[in-house]
């Protein structure tokens, strides 16, 4: 049924496709799993390295990208003057030393922000078409950094020296972006407002962003029963992964043209939980032959509770031992950190953001943990 609905939606949208897609489906049944704390993992079998960033400003870190022996850090900070979260990109070397930032300089920020994301700039302010307004995602193709500007509805390309080499405009907000081997992009699409949903969640487009070649997870209307949410692609050995929040699904996408290679269905009915507890998938999540890892929400409510309680947790599932390792964001880890959150997966490594116990604020240490899926 799902394949038929997707195929009809593609025809209605007049998008060129070869045929209705067929792909294998795996079910990861977690119902009989035991739950252990994260510290129960045998860390000696996992190569783990850390980078302490030379940065003490208040921020919410979103993504870490490795390029040219550097770390590009996408984060948000709150601008009290305009009462808005501002996404930006700072650059660090591999030891964590701060090198600068990508894009416009800080003395240009006030003029750009006062435009309120419309195509009007104050007298003397920079032309914001030459830079980003609201970074949603970034990737490196080996020679250039690509930045997805959600509010500006464009993709910007920067070279090693931080020079803007080209830009491409689209007519929708871009929430995530990765390259395809057939000279195109895989794009995650956001809503026009935080409360609206786009008709399509993931599309493949050509290099000029002028033509769609494939649409994944189209939203045919209010009857839609699968919600990917804000799709954030994870770079795994076999391609890219993206997960749905409801129902809990993880999809492996082809690195060449973006088609679905495999679907993983997660059964989160873990018997080790009490009858008052439930688990819900968050994003990002990746899964492989043995391990699954990412973020999930543990929600519990006693019969007399007026409201449910919830806690976001990092998790690693070992399918061979039927074990679910859980760690709340503030549970502490390895007697070194008192806050740890999963950021993503890249090149066989889990990437976490952490707060060292001896300097707990802000969260400024990056943990890279090797874990082939």
């Amino acid at each position: 049924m799902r394949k038929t609905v997707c195929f009809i939606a593609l025809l209605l949208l007049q998008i060129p496709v070869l045929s209705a897609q067929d792909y294998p489906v795996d079910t990861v049944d977690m119902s009989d799993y035991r739950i252990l704390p994260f510290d129960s993992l045998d860390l000696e079998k996992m190569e783990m390295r850390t980078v302490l960033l030379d940065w003490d400003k208040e921020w919410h870190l979103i993504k870490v990208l490795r390029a040219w022996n550097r770390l590009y850090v996408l984060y948000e900070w709150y601008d009290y003057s305009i009462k808005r979260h501002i996404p930006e990109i700072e650059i660090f070397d591999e030891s964590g030393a701060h090198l600068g930032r990508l894009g416009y300089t800080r003395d240009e920020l006030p003029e750009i922000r006062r435009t309120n994301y419309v195509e009007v700039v104050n007298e003397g302010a920079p032309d914001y078409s030459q830079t980003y307004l609201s970074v949603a995602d970034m990737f490196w193709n080996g020679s250039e950094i690509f930045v997805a500007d959600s509010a500006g509805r464009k993709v910007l390309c920067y070279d090693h020296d931080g020079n803007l080499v080209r830009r491409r405009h689209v007519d929708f907000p871009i929430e995530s972006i990765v390259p395809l081997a057939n000279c195109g992009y895989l794009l995650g699409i956001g809503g026009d407002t935080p409360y609206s949903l786009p008709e399509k969640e993931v599309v493949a487009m050509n290099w000029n962003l002028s033509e769609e070649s494939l649409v994944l997870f189209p939203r045919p209307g209010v009857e839609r029963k699968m919600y990917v949410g804000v799709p954030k692609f994870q770079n795994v050995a076999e391609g890219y992964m993206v997960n749905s929040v409801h129902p809990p699904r993880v999809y492996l996408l082809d690195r060449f043209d973006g088609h679905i290679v495999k679907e993983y269905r997660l059964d989160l009915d873990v018997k080790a939980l009490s009858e008052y507890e439930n688990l819900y998938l968050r994003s990002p999540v990746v899964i492989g032959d043995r391990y699954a890892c990412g973020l999930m929400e543990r929600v519990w409510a006693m019969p007399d509770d007026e409201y449910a309680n919830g806690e976001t947790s990092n998790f690693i599932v070992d399918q061979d031992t039927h074990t679910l390792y859980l760690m709340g964001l503030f549970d502490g880890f390895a007697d070194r950190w008192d806050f740890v959150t999963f950021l993503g997966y890249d090149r066989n490594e889990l990437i976490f953001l952490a707060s060292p116990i001896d300097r707990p604020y802000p969260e400024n240490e990056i943990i890279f943990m090797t874990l082939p899926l």
Side-chain angles (χ1 to χ4, degrees):
M1 177 61 72
R2 178 184 176 278
K3 292 182 290 186
T4 302
V5 171
C6 289
F7 186 58
I8 293 174
L10 292 175
L11 289 177
L12 292 175
L13 290 168
Q14 296 183 346
I15 295 165
V17 293
L18 296 177
S19 63
Q21 200 181 325
D22 191 15
Y23 51 83
V25 175
D26 273 4
T27 298
V28 181
D29 183 359
M30 298 168 54
S31 60
D32 61 343
Y33 278 42
R34 59 176 178 162
I35 297 179
L36 292 178
F38 221 73
D39 279 347
S40 301
L41 282 166
D42 188 357
L43 298 179
E44 294 183 357
K45 294 182 179 179
M46 301 180 185
E47 180 183 345
M48 188 168 64
R49 59 189 180 87
T50 63
V51 178
L52 184 62
L53 302 179
D54 182 20
W55 192 256
D56 59 1
K57 298 191 181 342
E58 181 180 345
W59 67 357
H60 169 61
L61 200 149
I62 300 171
K63 182 174 182 176
V64 176
L65 178 70
R66 290 169 288 184
W68 298 302
N69 298 320
R70 300 172 178 174
L71 298 177
Y72 288 75
V73 176
L74 169 58
Y75 71 100
E76 287 183 343
W77 62 280
Y78 190 75
D79 188 335
Y80 289 93
S81 65
I82 60 172
K83 298 180 180 179
R84 183 181 294 130
H85 287 93
I86 307 299
E88 295 180 357
I89 301 172
E90 300 290 341
I91 308 171
F92 301 84
D93 67 15
E94 291 185 315
S95 69
H98 185 237
L99 301 177
R101 65 185 315 278
L102 185 67
Y104 44 73
T105 59
R106 291 197 174 278
D107 57 0
E108 296 174 325
L109 285 174
E111 290 83 2
I112 292 176
R113 300 309 175 193
R114 293 194 191 104
T115 65
N116 196 28
Y117 297 175
V118 296
E119 295 189 14
V120 177
V121 293
N122 296 340
E123 184 178 354
D127 178 4
Y128 79 77
S129 66
Q130 302 298 315
T131 188
Y132 52 79
L133 284 173
S134 179
V135 185
D137 199 9
M138 57 183 176
F139 78 82
W140 181 52
N141 70 350
S143 60
E144 295 172 340
I145 297 284
F146 289 68
V147 174
D149 180 2
S150 182
R153 301 194 176 194
K154 56 183 179 288
V155 175
L156 304 170
C157 303
Y158 294 90
D159 63 16
H160 174 275
D161 297 324
N163 300 311
L164 178 64
V165 294
R166 67 180 174 277
R167 65 182 182 272
R168 297 286 185 268
H169 292 270
V170 294
D171 59 359
F172 51 81
I174 302 175
E175 293 295 342
S176 52
I177 181 171
V178 286
L180 293 172
N182 66 346
C183 296
Y185 304 99
L186 201 58
L187 303 175
I189 301 177
D192 291 323
T193 72
Y195 307 102
S196 64
L197 298 176
E199 293 181 356
K200 297 163 283 188
E201 289 175 292
V202 177
V203 300
M205 299 191 73
N206 64 3
W207 207 244
N208 292 321
L209 294 176
S210 59
E211 182 180 351
E212 293 177 354
S213 58
L214 181 68
V215 175
L216 303 176
F217 321 122
R219 289 194 176 99
V222 294
E223 297 300 321
R224 176 171 177 74
K225 296 181 180 180
M226 202 273 294
Y227 177 46
V228 170
V230 177
K232 296 296 183 182
F233 305 110
Q234 304 302 311
N235 184 21
V236 300
E238 298 81 8
Y240 300 115
M241 282 194 162
V242 65
N243 70 284
S244 67
V245 177
H246 178 74
R249 302 284 188 264
V250 181
Y251 298 91
L252 175 63
L253 309 181
D254 183 71
R255 197 182 297 275
F256 182 78
D257 63 5
H259 73 271
I260 299 176
V261 176
K262 197 171 190 178
E263 174 186 342
Y264 296 90
R265 300 178 179 178
L266 275 67
D267 178 359
L268 301 181
D269 186 20
V270 181
K271 293 178 180 177
L273 294 173
S274 74
E275 60 179 309
Y276 306 110
E277 295 178 283
N278 286 293
L279 294 176
Y280 299 95
L281 213 58
R282 295 282 298 273
S283 187
V285 173
V286 293
I287 193 169
D289 293 334
R290 176 170 181 178
Y291 294 104
C293 48
L295 290 174
M296 62 173 52
E297 191 86 10
R298 184 173 68 92
V299 177
W300 66 93
M302 302 300 289
D304 295 333
D305 290 345
E306 184 176 358
Y307 302 102
N309 300 290
E311 178 186 44
T312 301
S313 296
N314 306 278
F315 77 89
I316 292 180
V317 166
D318 186 336
Q319 300 178 66
D320 286 358
T321 63
H322 283 222
T323 305
L324 170 61
Y325 299 95
L326 277 180
M327 175 178 63
L329 301 189
F330 295 93
D331 284 356
F333 179 53
D335 296 324
R336 291 180 56 183
W337 302 280
D338 60 6
F339 170 88
V340 178
T341 185
F342 180 60
L343 293 179
Y345 188 88
D346 182 46
R347 291 180 261 177
N348 282 341
E349 286 189 318
L350 304 171
I351 304 175
F352 296 91
L353 170 66
S355 289
I357 290 177
D358 57 348
R359 43 181 303 184
Y361 189 82
E363 299 86 21
N364 59 355
E365 189 159 15
I366 309 300
I367 305 172
F368 298 95
M369 182 186 300
T370 301
L371 182 71
L373 296 175

